[in-house]
Amino acid sequence: MNGASREALAAARERLDALTDNTSVDAAKLAEELAAVTALLDREVSLRRVLTDPAQAGEAKADLATRLLSGQVGGETVDLVSGMVRARWSQSRDLVDAVEELASTAELTAAQSAGTLDDVEDELFRFSRIVASHAELRAALTDRTATATAKGELLRSLLGGRANPVTERLIVRLAAQPRGRSLEGGLESLSKLAAARRDRMVAVVTSAVPLTDPQKQRLGAVLAKLYGRQMHLNLDVDPEVLGGISVRVGDEVIDGTIASRLDEASRRLAG
């Protein structure tokens, strides 16, 4: 997002944080309702265009959203969405993306309140690795001919009782409503949102053997000092790296594996 949409999303995030700071608000229910609004706006193109039409007064758009949603979702959700449509959006689809992000953030807030946010972060990462290594599972979850219900049942059979309920709900929604994203891209976005709940960056660390606790602590401290922010480590073991570690933070890769050094040496010899 850029321009007006970025400002509108930042304001919506602040309103969501203020809302979920209230312990009487059920963040999980709020997430479910925001996800339903996301599905509605994604499906009804004409509606989202009306709700983001810059030629229409913000109050008029808020009144329309209130009339449509009242009785369908709770008052907190109505107020939140009404506030969002009062703002200006660069593109109508940006509004849908923003509501979806708030739904995911509300789920993660529920996990944070329950003290299980670390578990959700780790489970999202582990599931992304499972998808990457199982072509049949990925094909089933990205099959455009499969119904959302079928994908949900498959995921619940895989994750039910084995993963945090927040993790399960996030992944089921992503598979059921990909909205043009790749499954891998959606999982990565969810991991970044989870990290942002603690103002942390995510480092994907690949090593030949599992790191010890002291090694993880030292690496986390070094990366936090390097990037100036607390770092969450997603750990992956790949014997093919031979030795050393590879660290990816966003688009930046710090590769200290023996395999990469051998590749570089081979390229130099060939040159």
Side-chain angles (χ1 to χ4, degrees):
M1 293 184 191
N2 50 43
S5 291
R6 185 165 57 241
E7 294 177 7
L9 175 56
R13 287 168 176 160
E14 290 181 4
R15 288 195 293 270
L16 177 67
D17 286 342
L19 190 60
T20 53
D21 281 345
N22 186 338
T23 55
S24 67
V25 173
D26 186 339
K29 180 183 178 184
L30 183 62
E32 181 181 3
E33 293 178 348
L34 287 168
V37 175
T38 301
L40 171 66
L41 295 177
D42 190 53
R43 185 173 63 249
E44 301 294 339
V45 178
S46 59
L47 173 61
R48 71 171 184 253
R49 286 177 177 167
V50 170
L51 292 176
T52 56
D53 184 355
Q56 300 294 323
E59 201 58 41
K61 291 183 286 187
D63 288 344
L64 173 60
T66 299
R67 291 197 304 272
L68 288 173
L69 298 178
S70 292
Q72 307 299 315
V73 295
E76 293 90 354
T77 302
V78 172
D79 291 344
L80 191 57
V81 175
S82 296
M84 294 176 75
V85 301
R86 284 189 182 93
R88 291 181 63 86
W89 297 89
S90 304
Q91 300 181 64
S92 64
R93 196 162 183 81
D94 289 347
L95 173 62
V96 195
D97 292 341
V99 177
E100 182 180 49
E101 180 186 310
L102 295 193
S104 298
T105 300
E107 284 284 15
L108 295 167
T109 301
Q112 189 173 32
S113 298
T116 59
L117 182 55
D118 280 346
D119 292 336
V120 172
E121 287 181 280
D122 290 337
E123 288 167 357
L124 287 169
F125 174 70
R126 287 203 301 271
F127 186 76
S128 72
R129 304 309 297 169
I130 290 171
V131 168
S133 60
H134 290 78
E136 290 184 1
L137 174 60
R138 185 186 184 282
L141 293 177
T142 57
D143 183 357
R144 294 185 180 182
T145 65
T147 65
T149 300
K151 293 177 183 178
E153 289 176 351
L154 172 60
L155 285 167
R156 291 185 187 96
S157 70
L158 293 172
L159 300 174
R162 300 178 181 87
N164 187 285
V166 169
T167 307
E168 182 180 331
R169 289 195 295 268
L170 287 170
I171 294 175
V172 167
R173 285 180 192 141
L174 174 61
Q177 298 177 337
R179 302 188 52 242
R181 297 161 300 190
S182 70
L183 184 58
E184 294 85 351
L187 288 168
E188 184 174 1
S189 295
L190 288 173
S191 292
K192 289 179 179 178
L193 275 180
R197 289 308 304 164
R198 297 184 189 275
D199 193 29
R200 296 185 297 185
M201 297 181 73
V202 175
V204 178
V205 180
T206 305
S207 57
V209 296
L211 300 183
T212 64
D213 287 338
Q215 287 174 325
K216 288 185 281 188
Q217 292 170 4
R218 287 196 298 271
L219 178 60
V222 168
L223 291 172
K225 184 175 181 180
L226 179 64
Y227 287 93
R229 292 177 63 185
Q230 187 178 2
M231 192 71 63
H232 176 74
L233 305 183
N234 280 339
L235 305 174
D236 192 22
V237 176
D238 182 0
E240 291 187 4
V241 305
L242 301 181
I245 62 172
S246 171
V247 179
R248 178 170 62 85
V249 180
D251 295 329
E252 185 176 357
V253 176
I254 305 170
D255 196 339
T257 64
I258 292 176
S260 70
R261 295 174 199 167
L262 291 174
D263 288 342
E264 177 63 23
S266 296
R267 285 194 294 270
R268 290 181 179 179
L269 287 172

